[in-house]
Amino acid sequence: MREIKIKFAERSSDYAIAIGGGRISGVGVWAAATLGNIGKVVVISNTTVFKLYGDEVERSLNSSGFKTSRFLMQDGEEFKTLATATKALKAMSTVGLERTDAVVALGGGVVGDLAGFVSSIYLRGVRFLQIPTTLLAMVDSSVGGKTGVNAAFGKNTIGSFHQPAGVLVDTTVLSTLAEREMTAGLCEMVKHAVLSGPKLMNETRLWLADREDTLLRRLIAANILFKAKIVAGDEFESTSRTDARSRKILNFGHTLAHALEKATNYSYFRHGEAVGYGVLYAAELSKSLAFLDKNDVKLLYDVVHRGGPLPSLANIDFDSVFEAFRSDKKNVAGSLQMILLKGLGRPIIVSSDGISRRQHEAAFKRIDKF
Ligand code: NAD
Ligand code: GLY
């Protein structure tokens, strides 16, 4: 078992991320130690994940003295909405969840984002624990405290910063995860490796070559450590920061990713898959602006390619993608801020004002050949 601590200078309390194999059966003991008191917990999950792991988690919580109840959302990004959040809040209220009680999020990024969001607004905030069950949620969404739901006017446009009280990563649950979901998580890992530098990139490529379990656990821990350090230094993603350690860099690849998801009505790509294309797109733009060497771009194609197949871009019209850039959350004072690259481990934040539509379209055409 490995533990990573995330420490905050600002508002939030420090917390730990416990990583290991087979930890989920001990969730009750961990929750009691993490929360420091035994009370009620509402387990928020979805129907798919709960069927696989819900009983084990509830049994363990009960045997440590917790009184559990559950709210199960339907499975899918399209249910990450205010309407589902309202139903979850009602379920929390119905069982009389109090401010000293807690929520347990059991699932992927969709469940974690929604559970974190309702925890941040219920009675002006209750504690919540994250038990991520997808690779993407383990390496990215369960750590850092970004919570939220989607709205008609954009993805994740309603949300809050609310850090979990603790995160429990049990890598054995990945055995039931579909291959496509593993690819999606790998794309977020490639994003971290690009931002972190050659060491994490080499470890990622090594794992992709033979997909060995012990190495995966180490790699997941390295990803969490990287993200935790960035988040600790800029918890609320300050709008004025543009340096290479700003939390904004974690949005690398997301300008195109969010536009692709929006242009396809959030129903064609897994979020991580769209990030895979976004990484390549940012690399192509960086090359066309003479920031990035062509060998680095080649390496990124290779590593994303090894992560698994991505859905085709053939039927996606560039006009709809370009239009979607306008509603991006990374817009500051009307300009889109893009995270580009000067090399591995050397992100830069630039305004898209100096990048022509022709350059954008050329980058899009090149990644289409992936
Ligand atoms: P997801 O939560 O939809 O999970 C993917 C699928 O895998 C679902 O069908 C789910 O039921 C299933 N599943 C989950 N765990 C399983 C398991 N162990 N075995 C079998 N099936 C399992 O998708 P995701 O990729 O985990 O998360 C994507 C979401 O995360 C998006 O909404 C995205 O916006 C969000 N996100 C948030 C942050 C953040 O910082 N908060 C960061 C990245 C992504
Ligand atoms: N996933 C980007 C962030 O947490 O800031």
Side-chain angles (χ1 to χ4, degrees):
M1 205 273 285
R2 162 123 200 240
E3 197 168 81
I4 292 171
K5 286 240 166 63
I6 175 161
K7 291 181 194 277
F8 295 100
E10 295 180 58
R11 186 187 70 183
S12 298
S13 304
D14 303 346
Y15 60 94
I17 301 118
I19 308 156
R23 294 292 312 275
I24 215 164
S25 54
V27 64
V29 173
W30 168 78
T34 304
L35 295 171
N37 69 320
I38 314 271
K40 285 194 194 107
V41 290
V42 173
V43 176
I44 298 187
S45 188
N46 72 22
T47 43
T48 313
V49 177
F50 196 85
K51 222 175 272 166
L52 291 164
Y53 304 107
D55 283 346
E56 194 177 352
V57 165
E58 281 191 348
R59 216 177 307 121
S60 174
L61 287 165
N62 293 147
S63 62
S64 286
F66 288 99
K67 191 167 179 324
T68 59
S69 54
R70 66 182 86 133
F71 172 76
L72 303 187
M73 63 183 287
Q74 284 171 277
D75 189 356
E77 182 76 39
E78 66 273 33
F79 299 105
K80 198 177 105 176
T81 58
L82 269 185
T84 309
T86 306
K87 288 182 195 159
L89 290 163
K90 186 157 179 255
M92 290 154 75
S93 161
T94 303
V95 296
L97 200 76
E98 296 178 359
R99 291 191 62 201
T100 47
D101 296 328
V103 164
V104 173
L106 173 69
V110 167
V111 163
D113 279 11
L114 184 126
F117 179 58
V118 295
S119 304
S120 75
I121 55 174
Y122 181 78
L123 304 181
R124 299 202 175 84
V126 292
R127 292 173 302 166
F128 82 116
L129 300 172
Q130 285 271 21
I131 308 179
T133 60
T134 62
L135 183 59
L136 181 141
M138 289 176 188
V139 298
D140 193 349
S141 62
S142 66
V143 176
K146 278 191 182 175
T147 82
V149 294
N150 304 326
F153 49 87
K155 187 175 153 68
N156 296 331
T157 43
I158 301 172
S160 60
F161 287 98
H162 185 55
Q163 299 293 341
V167 184
L168 181 74
V169 175
D170 177 353
T171 50
T172 57
V173 304
L174 295 176
S175 63
T176 52
L177 195 66
E179 216 28 65
R180 186 172 176 192
E181 304 299 343
M182 284 297 283
T183 299
L186 273 163
C187 290
E188 294 278 15
M189 286 166 68
V190 171
K191 175 195 83 176
H192 284 159
V194 168
L195 296 169
S196 171
K199 184 167 180 290
L200 190 53
M201 181 57 83
N202 287 340
E203 283 167 14
T204 309
R205 295 176 77 199
L206 212 62
W207 183 75
L208 283 168
D210 66 3
R211 301 201 176 213
E212 197 270 318
D213 276 357
T214 320
L215 187 54
L216 178 61
R217 261 207 293 284
R218 282 223 305 272
L219 201 53
I220 288 172
N223 272 265
I224 293 171
L225 192 60
F226 171 72
K227 177 161 182 182
K229 276 191 186 147
I230 299 292
V231 169
D234 184 16
E235 182 182 359
F236 301 111
E237 199 171 303
S238 160
T239 51
S240 57
R241 277 182 64 171
T242 51
D243 58 280
R245 304 293 289 174
S246 151
R247 184 168 180 167
K248 284 178 191 158
I249 65 159
L250 298 177
N251 296 321
F252 181 69
H254 281 61
T255 301
L256 181 77
H258 285 158
L260 283 177
E261 289 180 276
K262 185 161 194 239
T264 54
N265 222 3
Y266 304 102
S267 56
Y268 180 63
F269 293 100
R270 307 298 306 137
H271 173 70
E273 293 170 339
V275 170
Y277 276 124
V279 165
L280 300 177
Y281 185 74
E284 288 285 6
L285 273 183
S286 305
K287 190 181 78 180
S288 84
L289 293 167
F291 292 146
L292 192 65
D293 185 80
K294 68 176 186 321
N295 291 326
D296 284 333
V297 180
K298 217 167 133 212
L299 182 142
L300 291 187
Y301 272 91
D302 177 62
V303 74
V304 172
H305 185 70
R306 282 169 195 271
L310 299 182
S312 165
L313 295 178
N315 293 322
I316 298 174
D317 172 30
F318 180 71
D319 288 343
S320 59
V321 171
F322 199 69
E323 177 56 31
F325 286 163
R326 280 153 41 99
S327 61
D328 196 289
K329 291 199 296 309
K330 292 180 288 307
N331 283 322
V332 172
S335 287
L336 181 62
Q337 290 199 316
M338 297 223 45
I339 325 299
L340 298 180
L341 210 57
K342 284 182 157 173
L344 287 183
R346 297 173 62 212
I348 42 162
I349 300 174
V350 297
S351 159
S352 68
D353 290 353
I355 308 172
S356 68
R357 187 194 152 106
R358 204 171 45 76
Q359 280 170 307
H360 277 289
E361 192 161 5
F364 188 74
K365 293 238 159 76
R366 280 196 292 275
I367 62 165
D368 191 16
K369 300 195 182 78
F370 168 75

